Amino acid sequence: MEASRRLAPYAVALLLLIDAALLYLVDVRGPFPAQVMLGTPTAYRNLYIHVPIAIAGYATFTVALIFALLYLVRGEARYERTAHAAIVVGVIYGAATLVTGSIWAHESWGSAWNWDPRETGIFFMWIAYLVYFVLRSSIKDPDVAPRISMSYAVAAYSTIPLSFALPYVMESLHPVISETKAFVGGGLPAVLFPVRMLIVNVIAILMIFMVRDRVTGAGTRVLRAGSAALLFIGLLLVGLYVATLMGARGGLQLTPGATAKFVGTVSEARLLEGTNESATLLLKVYTDGRAVEVRYTGEPPVKPVTFVYRDKETGTAEVRTSLVSHVVLVEGVVGENGIVEAERLEVLNYWGVPVNILMYALFVASAVYLATRPASRAA
Amino acid sequence: MAAIMVGIGYMAASMGGYKDVSDLARLKEPALVTVKGVIADYRADPDKDSVVFLLQGEDGSTITAEFSYQRFVNMHGRAPGPWILGQEIVVKGVFYPERQGNMLGYMDISEMLKGCHESYQAPPATS
């Protein structure tokens, strides 16, 4: 028991390092649906960030329920301390779920907050667990406070199946499991999604016991180093994103021979010839309220360059080009016909992907702080 | 206590849930609503920064709903066109009832929403 307590910070630090590498992979190579209904497809890289955090929140509250019930049945203080730590970690992951979800929804749903049933359910769950802290601190009698607050923690758990079930019983912008399963069922998503899900959840569960026991000695430094590595990746990715945007500053004048450098959204894309290795594409790119024609020959910035879209309802299938809806950086020369002959065509990530990675790193850092804070400041 | 929490949570989610365009028939006064409907027709006027949709509900009743043209382009990356016809959307805004046959009234859209259910039908791609 003592050995596992000592090893936990090292295990979490290692997992945080692996997670930092995975999040870098998510940001630069994370697969997204070849076509989306709203916004840029790269926003769907948040699937690997937001969903594991949300599930980790559910998992930590489930641990809280188990230990709260154990306390109510057996009355041992260690169970109450574990349940309390699980609620502390759960509230952190709950807040992370709300923040990362809103940033993703801003792009893919059209609004950051819109009282979607599950959004409302998660918010209600989070508030219910925040009330736990108010209740616990408001009862002055140390013999009564644990029993009442643990009873409340058991009742608060009812908000979890509710928030999970809401998209199944009400109209919701949230997909249900069977819908996302089709996407994460094959290729790289079939590896990346479950691996991140596992790592985020193991980190969250181990964090509960570290918050409960508080890490001391060398474990503190190792755990903080792991958290710092995650923060570094978050800051690096946000920095790279800002640098790319700064570098995209140029101009667009559709006079023959002029150089063009601009950022826009691909509204139409046609594969003239080629394959995934090299292709000639004719694009219509929306920028500053006008559509600009762009021709590009080279390695396609999104692969596969085309895909077969099968409509579930009608059963029809058609070949579509996967660059549509992407935000791209175009650099080239305006031809005689007004078409921009692009030498560079780069897909830009949705800003919410690196920002959400940084947000996750900050929330993990706050849990690490609670696990490693000096004894005098412990609750 | 658990039952009360489930009850309150369900009620809160229900209040925030989406109604169908046809449910607007019950409204007699202007109200802030969030409804889903299918785009049956549209009229775009970039000069007036306006795109007006004819949204159809499950029972065939319709409303006209107006949105900013520029915001539409910013959100979708392209101008409204025939590609939007038949799509189901969720819109939030103030609805002004003015019933004339199947037409239930006019809505000033403040937010245009879209679920991500259909996006997961597409295969994975990467950059």
Side-chain angles (χ1 to χ4, degrees):
Chain A
M1 191 71 175
E2 189 54 39
S4 61
R5 194 176 291 180
R6 273 206 313 272
L7 284 175
Y10 294 89
V12 170
L14 179 64
L15 287 173
L16 287 172
L17 283 177
I18 296 169
D19 206 21
L22 281 176
L23 285 169
Y24 183 83
L25 180 68
V26 164
D27 187 79
V28 298
R29 285 280 177 272
F32 40 77
Q35 178 188 277
V36 299
M37 304 315 292
L38 189 64
T40 174
T42 55
Y44 280 73
R45 283 177 168 153
N46 278 304
L47 180 74
Y48 312 98
I49 305 166
H50 168 71
V51 181
I53 295 171
I55 300 298
Y58 286 154
T60 51
F61 287 134
T62 304
V63 171
L65 171 76
I66 292 166
F67 282 90
L69 285 170
L70 278 171
Y71 173 76
L72 291 172
V73 172
R74 296 189 182 172
E76 292 176 35
R78 61 190 172 124
Y79 295 134
E80 193 263 344
R81 283 192 292 116
T82 310
H84 176 72
I87 294 172
V88 169
V89 175
V91 165
I92 291 172
Y93 277 79
T97 305
L98 291 168
V99 171
T100 55
S102 294
I103 289 173
W104 183 9
H106 172 76
E107 179 73 6
S108 297
W109 289 354
S111 168
W113 191 266
N114 47 67
W115 299 106
D116 171 83
R118 182 171 282 167
E119 223 173 30
T120 309
I122 295 271
F123 182 63
F124 183 67
M125 172 198 84
W126 191 66
I127 295 290
Y129 278 100
L130 277 185
V131 170
Y132 158 84
F133 295 106
V134 178
L135 181 74
R136 190 172 187 263
S137 60
S138 66
I139 304 168
K140 301 298 173 203
D141 187 338
D143 296 326
V144 178
R147 191 152 285 275
I148 291 186
S149 55
M150 286 300 108
S151 303
Y152 177 84
V154 172
Y157 190 80
S158 62
T159 58
I160 287 173
L162 176 75
S163 70
F164 187 79
L166 282 171
Y168 291 89
V169 293
M170 282 180 198
E171 284 284 344
S172 173
L173 300 176
H174 260 102
V176 293
I177 289 175
S178 59
E179 287 165 333
T180 47
K181 221 165 124 182
F183 178 73
V184 297
L188 186 55
V191 179
L192 199 51
F193 185 73
V195 169
R196 268 228 85 229
M197 184 71 86
L198 182 70
I199 287 179
V200 171
N201 277 272
V202 171
I203 290 172
I205 300 292
L206 289 176
M207 205 67 86
I208 293 170
F209 298 98
M210 292 190 299
V211 167
R212 183 193 65 182
D213 300 331
R214 271 190 306 112
V215 181
T216 52
T220 304
R221 288 190 293 278
V222 170
L223 190 57
R224 285 179 179 172
S227 176
L230 194 64
L231 270 173
F232 172 75
I233 287 294
L235 287 168
L236 174 76
L237 292 171
V238 170
L240 286 173
Y241 179 80
V242 173
T244 308
L245 277 192
M246 301 288 272
R249 280 182 179 175
L252 176 63
Q253 280 194 328
L254 291 177
T255 44
T259 55
K261 192 176 185 184
F262 63 96
V263 173
T265 306
V266 179
S267 60
E268 287 173 34
R270 199 149 56 91
L271 175 67
L272 298 179
E273 59 177 6
T275 61
N276 284 333
E277 280 67 47
S278 179
T280 300
L281 292 153
L282 189 63
L283 315 172
K284 197 171 268 185
V285 181
Y286 243 88
T287 182
D288 287 335
R290 57 179 166 168
V292 179
E293 279 199 287
V294 175
R295 184 165 32 221
Y296 169 78
T297 301
E299 190 181 350
V302 174
K303 292 175 189 174
V305 66
T306 57
F307 66 97
V308 178
Y309 183 82
R310 287 190 173 80
D311 192 307
K312 260 188 183 174
E313 285 175 16
T314 61
T316 54
E318 61 176 282
V319 176
R320 295 183 180 180
T321 310
S322 45
L323 251 178
V324 174
S325 301
H326 278 281
V327 176
V328 290
L329 165 62
V330 180
E331 203 174 340
V333 178
V334 181
E336 289 297 326
N337 44 12
I339 296 177
V340 176
E341 301 290 343
E343 290 149 11
R344 183 181 172 201
L345 183 67
E346 193 180 315
V347 164
L348 297 186
N349 229 353
Y350 168 52
W351 63 265
V353 176
V355 167
N356 269 349
I357 291 172
L358 180 60
M359 287 293 148
Y360 171 63
L362 286 169
F363 281 110
V364 168
S366 65
V368 166
Y369 168 75
L370 291 175
T372 59
R373 68 194 157 154
S376 58
R377 275 184 261 165
Chain B
M1 198 189 287
I4 292 170
M5 282 190 179
V6 170
I8 295 170
Y10 189 83
M11 269 172 56
S14 304
M15 284 162 73
Y18 316 121
K19 294 170 178 63
D20 185 72
V21 159
S22 53
D23 294 325
L24 297 176
R26 277 178 271 159
L27 291 179
K28 302 280 179 261
E29 298 289 328
L32 180 68
V33 293
T34 305
V35 290
K36 68 177 173 72
V38 173
I39 302 174
D41 201 0
Y42 74 99
R43 196 177 62 243
D45 189 341
D47 297 333
K48 289 183 179 166
D49 191 29
S50 159
V51 53
V52 179
F53 304 101
L54 184 69
L55 289 183
Q56 196 164 48
E58 283 167 357
D59 68 354
S61 53
T62 55
I63 61 167
T64 53
E66 188 170 13
F67 193 50
S68 156
Y69 180 91
Q70 197 52 52
R71 277 186 68 194
F72 182 95
V73 172
N74 289 343
M75 284 170 67
H76 292 81
R78 53 182 156 165
W83 62 273
I84 61 171
L85 296 175
Q87 279 201 23
E88 186 181 273
I89 55 168
V90 177
V91 289
K92 181 181 177 184
V94 178
F95 176 69
Y96 300 90
E98 200 177 318
R99 190 157 193 165
Q100 284 180 335
N102 258 355
M103 175 64 71
L104 303 179
Y106 164 83
M107 185 176 181
D108 186 9
I109 303 175
S110 57
E111 277 171 15
M112 196 171 169
L113 312 168
K114 183 85 187 143
C116 50
H117 314 264
E118 295 158 60
S119 299
Y120 293 108
Q121 286 182 34
T126 193
S127 59

